[in-house]
Amino acid sequence: MKPTAPNKIKVAFIYGYEPSGHMMAAKAVCDFMPEIIEPYFFNLSGIYPRLGPFVAKTYLEVLHKTPALWSYVYDKVSLFNAAKRIKSTLTPFYASKLQELLLKKGISAAVSTHALSSILLSKKRGKLKNISHFVVLTDFYAHNYWPKEGIELYFAPDNDTGRSLTEKGIDKNKIRISGIPVKKDFLSITSCQQAKRNLGLNPVLPCILITGGTKGLGSIEDIFEKACEHEKLQIIVLCGTNQKLHARLKKKSQNKKRIVITGFSCETARYYMAADIVIGKPGGVTIAETLALRKTLAVFSPLPGQEEKNAEFLKKHKLAWHLKNQRQLAEFLAN
């Protein structure tokens, strides 16, 4: 990064791992920062190379093998109270490394899009007291792990999430309702027809986009195969970092001009713009990006915890179709 120009304000954007929705949200917030801001991105999995991958791997294994267990323990008060006792022991150890990095870079403010970084920075001591700390929530629910202290402002996606923060003891004067941030390219004006042409698709035929988030999770392949049964339906699949899925779908779609298969990309707006319908997992950023473009949204395979809460939000406000089985998927595609 170039040396800081005089009077530039150094701001840290901190997320859990990359790629992830938290990372995309951090970059989205940065997109709208004034020129006086000099951004620094901090990936916690890079700072803590052993802790990050271990947590992510454990989380995914629990989801895969015993999803009911995760549903049971997620945001449970008794587990939260136990975690607080562990946190009081481990937080100072892990927090010191992140705090030292911020001070070394001369950071003036920090923006956390992940609960862990907000916890690590919540106890501000010494020179760290001069660093303003802001939190951006990326799901339509505030779990118990967001800290109550050490934060200047909390940016919540909607009024219900804001209320859930106050119910957890956070001062309502520190809460701003802002929505979930999306990158600036989602706000550009490109017609669906032109976006299809840009991808080499027919501008007249309908197109669906299938996504499983940055990791390419869920029953993407089943949905893809069902969609392929409709000859006039064009298909875009975002496989994220799921390389095995990407390879399988690439093989299945050989010589088919109406299908676009791609891996992880930070520039997903052009794919979303070409879609008439988005079928995706209910991650907070996926929801925000789809709604920003006013696309019809259908959700599937919500992960226990945050994605289930996001699905409840969509259902409450009648913002999406919910595909729970193959029959519902077939009926949705037929219509």
Side-chain angles (χ1 to χ4, degrees):
M1 185 173 286
K2 296 180 181 179
T4 305
N7 302 321
K8 283 278 188 176
I9 301 173
K10 295 184 178 183
V11 176
F13 296 88
I14 313 172
Y15 46 89
Y17 53 88
E18 57 184 41
S20 66
H22 302 110
M23 179 195 79
M24 300 302 288
K27 291 184 179 296
V29 174
C30 183
D31 270 358
F32 294 90
M33 290 290 106
E35 291 185 3
I36 197 172
I37 298 298
E38 180 173 4
Y40 285 77
F41 293 97
F42 291 84
N43 166 22
L44 293 182
S45 291
I47 297 172
Y48 309 103
R50 293 183 180 180
L51 177 66
F54 170 76
V55 172
K57 183 179 179 181
T58 302
Y59 168 66
L60 291 174
E61 285 185 353
V62 170
L63 289 177
H64 177 67
K65 295 177 181 178
T66 54
L69 174 62
W70 187 262
S71 293
Y72 176 75
V73 301
Y74 173 77
D75 208 33
K76 200 168 183 64
V77 174
S78 58
L79 181 68
F80 170 69
N81 290 334
K84 280 202 301 185
R85 290 190 288 273
I86 298 173
K87 185 179 74 170
S88 64
T89 303
L90 296 180
T91 296
F93 174 78
Y94 284 106
S96 60
K97 188 172 184 179
L98 175 60
Q99 293 172 3
E100 286 171 7
L101 283 173
L102 298 184
L103 293 173
K104 184 177 180 180
K105 294 290 184 181
I107 299 297
S108 298
V111 178
S112 292
T113 60
H114 193 280
L116 178 55
S117 59
S118 69
I119 292 170
L120 295 176
L121 296 179
S122 61
K123 300 289 185 181
K124 296 194 285 189
R125 299 183 178 88
K127 293 181 179 179
L128 203 68
K129 290 182 179 180
N130 297 323
I131 298 178
S132 300
H133 186 196
F134 305 92
V135 157
V136 177
L137 278 72
T138 60
D139 290 289
F140 294 93
Y141 177 75
H143 54 61
N144 278 310
Y145 297 95
W146 292 105
K148 301 176 185 178
E149 53 189 22
I151 313 293
E152 269 65 41
L153 289 174
Y154 300 77
F155 293 90
D158 70 312
N159 289 322
D160 287 348
T161 308
R163 279 191 290 272
S164 70
L165 285 170
T166 59
E167 289 168 359
K168 298 177 194 311
I170 293 171
D171 183 354
K172 66 179 181 180
N173 294 317
K174 290 187 174 184
I175 300 169
R176 299 291 184 272
I177 307 304
S178 61
I180 292 175
V182 298
K183 294 192 69 184
K184 189 174 288 186
D185 51 1
F186 276 86
L187 305 183
S188 63
I189 301 174
T190 301
S191 70
C192 187
Q193 290 77 15
Q194 184 57 50
K196 288 175 183 175
R197 291 191 188 95
N198 294 343
L199 295 176
L201 297 173
N202 187 313
V204 178
L205 294 178
C207 177
I208 65 167
L209 180 146
I210 307 168
T211 176
T214 55
K215 286 187 169 55
L217 300 177
S219 50
I220 295 176
E221 197 162 359
D222 292 338
I223 296 172
F224 170 78
E225 291 177 350
K226 205 69 179 176
C228 284
E229 296 175 5
H230 299 262
E231 294 183 1
K232 293 185 178 182
L233 185 61
Q234 300 181 110
I235 306 167
I236 301 171
V237 184
L238 304 183
C239 298
T241 57
N242 192 333
Q243 296 179 1
K244 292 181 179 178
L245 173 68
H246 184 264
R248 289 197 303 271
L249 296 190
K250 271 287 190 182
K251 186 175 181 180
K252 290 181 179 182
S253 61
Q254 283 180 342
N255 303 319
K256 294 181 180 179
K257 294 182 179 180
R258 65 188 179 95
I259 297 175
V260 176
I261 308 294
T262 187
F264 173 75
S265 171
C266 282
E267 310 300 328
T268 56
R270 64 194 188 106
Y271 298 105
Y272 277 80
M273 288 178 181
D276 297 287
I277 295 172
V278 174
I279 303 180
K281 287 170 72 288
V285 173
T286 295
I287 294 170
E289 290 173 343
T290 304
L291 296 183
L293 295 175
R294 299 186 179 184
K295 302 290 183 177
T296 298
L297 174 63
V299 297
F300 68 94
S301 306
L303 294 176
Q306 289 296 95
E307 288 192 358
E308 286 182 337
K309 296 292 186 181
N310 289 340
E312 291 174 10
F313 167 84
L314 291 171
K315 184 176 181 180
K316 175 181 177 180
H317 296 282
K318 299 180 180 179
L319 291 172
W321 297 81
H322 294 255
L323 307 177
K324 297 181 180 180
N325 51 51
Q326 287 288 328
R327 178 184 60 80
Q328 290 184 354
L329 172 63
E331 292 176 353
F332 180 78
L333 293 175
N335 295 325

